[in-house]
Amino acid sequence: MTDSELTPIFDRPTSESAAARYRLGDEEMLPETAYQIVHDEAQLDGNARLNLATFVSTWMDDYADKLYAESFDKNMIDKDEYPSTAEVEDRCWRILADLWHAPSVEDAIGTSTTGSSEACMLGGLALKRLWQHKRKAEGKDATKPNLVMSSAVQVCWEKFCNYWDVEMRLMPISDDHKVLDGHDLEKYVDENTIGVVAIMGVTYTGMYEPVKQIAAALDEIQAKTGLDVPIHVDGASGAMIAPFLQPDLEWDFRLERVHSISTSGHKYGGVYPGVGWVVWRDTQWLPSDLVFEVSYLGGNMPTFALNFSRPGAQILLQYYLFLRLGFAGYTAMQQACQDVAVYLSDGIAKLGPFELWNDGTDIPVFAWYLKDETSAKWTLYDLADRLRMKGWIVPAYPMPADLTHLTVQRIVVRNGLSRDLAEKLLADIADAVRYLELLESPMPAEGHTPGFTH
Ligand SMILES: *Cc1c(COP(=O)(O)O)cnc(C)c1O
């Protein structure tokens, strides 16, 4: 039988043999047949809009979709072929440098990346290289760098430390110190510390770390010991929330100790997956021996990146949103998310069995736990399963060290989770709780709900 266009589409020879899935098929297939197979398989994924686990954008408007379709063929590294896209990239990080109060945007330096992970790696690499230069200039050992951060850091920092041989110094969180807040910092910082990571929007819970307080603790350490330790702010989500919703909060380049800031353009920056940003307050904090030159319009253009080729379309989408929304538009968009987050956290607290860990007033993300986990007949994993049956993806997971005994459940409110949908979600949570409370025998606790994104 051949894969003929005359054969009805679901009666054609397709990939019903398992082998064809794991090796290249022997023959061609009509494009519409192949399309249908891939399309149908992708249907089994969760519904992206109902995925309340992810921070990453799942909705953009029609003009963004149009722009995306027009530019998906552009490779960001081809700055020679696509000088306009290169120029737009430059404008975007300058806009961010300004938004984050760089003392002089002319003296700042930045770049786009594939996301916060790459942006954090670049920020970490700059810290490490600067520290090495300084140690070598002083004739001191430069082989045992360490980086200080909360035990609730995103996995990209564990990768950074692993890939680049930096000792990871994790400060545990506790009920008294829910985030890294400068307390006890002197016990972790020494002459081999390349920097401290401060997180604006801890992934586990959405809480801000008090960057100003951390900077003050480092000032004190410097006064006592002479150690001058810089801060990298991991603002994956918060660096695109705080400027709009908490403009008076000093967490950015207003603090001199903050050398660099990273963010995910594809989180609260509003762009589809594939873009991040990192900015240094001053070119002196990005060692020039990390920067490569690529040919650009017959001249050279500096680049600092892990990848060579990557999509350029997301850069144009970021610029589109900057133009489309402006300061007022971003403020309105983030405020709407926060209003929904507070509405939901309030409603969940009122259901009875839950205690809020936080309420969504930092970034629009909040987590809760069972008031009485030991005597409850059901767990948050059971609740996650019940919600999954309705299409909602609301992950439950254990907290990091030293709170691993505590299981929390988290909701990330993104642009697109409207108040209308949120009311439906709250009703579904209330229904699920009623159902679980009516069960007589305990349900076995199962493993993690898939879908928790760090
Ligand atoms: C999401 C996140 C990251 C990783 O960002 P990607 O853009 O997904 O690579 C890093 N740090 C924090 C705090 C995050 O929330």
Side-chain angles (χ1 to χ4, degrees):
M1 195 161 71
T2 60
D3 195 358
S4 150
E5 272 174 287
L6 291 176
T7 314
I9 194 155
F10 293 110
D11 296 318
R12 294 174 189 172
T14 55
S15 62
E16 67 262 16
S17 66
R21 290 191 181 153
Y22 300 104
R23 64 170 178 80
L24 205 56
D26 294 330
E27 306 291 337
E28 307 94 321
M29 199 183 273
L30 285 171
E32 59 267 41
T33 316
Y35 167 83
Q36 195 66 46
I37 291 169
V38 179
H39 171 89
D40 288 358
E41 186 143 8
Q43 284 192 124
L44 293 168
D45 281 337
N47 179 332
R49 292 281 303 283
L50 303 184
N51 177 2
L52 306 184
T54 185
F55 286 76
V56 177
S57 304
T58 46
W59 183 87
M60 291 192 80
D61 69 22
D62 291 345
Y63 286 98
D65 288 355
K66 189 171 161 191
L67 208 51
Y68 202 169
E70 288 166 10
S71 55
F72 57 64
D73 54 353
K74 285 186 205 272
N75 186 349
M76 194 60 233
I77 198 68
D78 289 338
K79 306 207 183 215
D80 202 8
E81 288 83 351
Y82 311 123
S84 292
T85 303
E87 160 75 22
V88 163
E89 179 195 25
D90 215 52
R91 281 184 219 159
C92 285
W93 68 253
R94 283 177 201 280
I95 287 170
L96 292 172
D98 180 60
L99 188 67
W100 298 336
H101 301 97
S104 151
V105 174
E106 278 66 48
D107 295 333
I109 181 96
T111 184
S112 69
T113 61
T114 50
S116 275
S117 298
E118 186 186 7
C120 291
M121 305 269 165
L122 301 183
L125 278 171
L127 291 176
K128 182 182 173 191
R129 187 60 63 86
L130 268 183
W131 171 84
Q132 284 172 324
H133 285 328
K134 196 163 131 209
R135 296 286 290 179
K136 282 176 188 158
E138 292 167 351
K140 292 178 179 158
D141 176 45
T143 59
K144 294 186 195 69
N146 69 65
L147 184 63
V148 174
M149 55 196 138
S150 156
S151 66
V153 280
Q154 211 267 352
V155 66
C156 73
W157 290 105
E158 298 176 39
K159 285 189 185 171
F160 168 76
C161 290
N162 181 326
Y163 296 173
W164 278 282
D165 286 319
V166 173
E167 182 202 339
M168 191 165 61
R169 292 223 170 136
L170 296 182
M171 299 191 62
I173 55 168
S174 63
D175 279 323
D176 292 336
H177 301 279
K178 286 177 151 184
V179 291
L180 188 150
D181 55 10
H183 165 83
D184 264 358
L185 200 52
E186 69 280 1
K187 293 186 187 151
Y188 290 80
V189 167
D190 62 23
E191 59 177 3
N192 291 319
T193 302
I194 63 172
V196 171
V197 175
I199 315 168
M200 282 296 281
V202 174
T203 323
Y204 286 83
T205 58
M207 289 174 76
Y208 287 150
E209 291 186 338
V211 188
K212 193 174 180 179
Q213 214 172 299
I214 296 168
L218 288 170
D219 288 347
E220 236 171 80
I221 289 172
Q222 185 172 10
K224 272 192 220 149
T225 64
L227 298 173
D228 183 4
V229 179
I231 294 175
H232 175 89
V233 177
D234 175 358
S237 44
M240 288 307 287
I241 293 287
F244 307 106
L245 298 190
Q246 297 95 3
D248 297 329
L249 184 70
E250 290 175 39
W251 62 275
D252 54 11
F253 293 129
R254 280 169 286 186
L255 304 171
E256 201 156 345
R257 215 170 264 287
V258 173
H259 280 197
S260 45
I261 300 173
S262 51
T263 197
S264 296
H266 57 218
K267 289 187 177 175
Y268 288 100
V271 179
Y272 287 132
V275 65
W277 301 96
V278 54
V279 177
W280 288 264
R281 67 184 292 122
D282 190 294
T283 48
Q284 66 169 311
W285 304 128
L286 174 58
S288 55
D289 53 341
L290 287 175
V291 179
F292 288 78
E293 302 285 330
V294 296
S295 95
Y296 172 66
L297 284 183
N300 278 321
M301 179 112 176
T303 82
F304 179 30
L306 299 182
N307 258 60
F308 187 70
S309 299
R310 68 188 159 83
Q314 275 80 354
I315 312 293
L316 297 177
L317 290 181
Q318 185 75 78
Y319 190 56
Y320 163 73
L321 270 191
F322 285 167
L323 290 177
R324 157 75 181 96
L325 295 172
F327 194 87
Y330 265 104
T331 305
M333 182 169 92
Q334 317 302 35
Q335 188 63 56
C337 290
Q338 185 137 78
D339 291 347
V340 168
V342 171
Y343 161 77
L344 280 173
S345 65
D346 187 53
I348 287 169
K350 286 187 179 131
L351 289 177
F354 308 118
E355 192 81 58
L356 294 180
W357 176 267
N358 62 321
D359 62 2
T361 50
D362 286 347
I363 60 172
V365 173
F366 64 97
W368 66 91
Y369 51 95
L370 274 174
K371 267 184 196 156
D372 199 354
E373 202 171 14
T374 41
S375 67
K377 289 185 207 154
W378 48 277
T379 68
L380 293 176
Y381 298 109
D382 300 322
L383 178 56
D385 283 346
R386 295 296 306 171
L387 292 173
R388 186 86 190 222
M389 288 169 65
K390 300 257 175 121
W392 302 106
I393 300 171
V394 186
Y397 50 88
M399 289 285 267
D402 282 349
L403 288 170
T404 46
H405 60 277
L406 187 67
T407 299
V408 297
Q409 195 160 20
R410 182 193 71 187
I411 285 179
V412 176
V413 178
R414 295 186 310 277
N415 185 32
L417 180 60
S418 62
R419 170 64 187 257
D420 191 62
L421 264 182
E423 283 188 19
K424 184 82 186 78
L425 169 62
L426 196 53
D428 285 344
I429 294 175
D431 269 353
V433 168
R434 266 193 298 276
Y435 174 89
L436 291 166
E437 294 277 323
L438 284 174
L439 285 182
E440 274 172 346
S441 58
M443 290 179 69
E446 293 195 351
H448 298 190
T449 303
F452 169 55
T453 42
H454 277 280

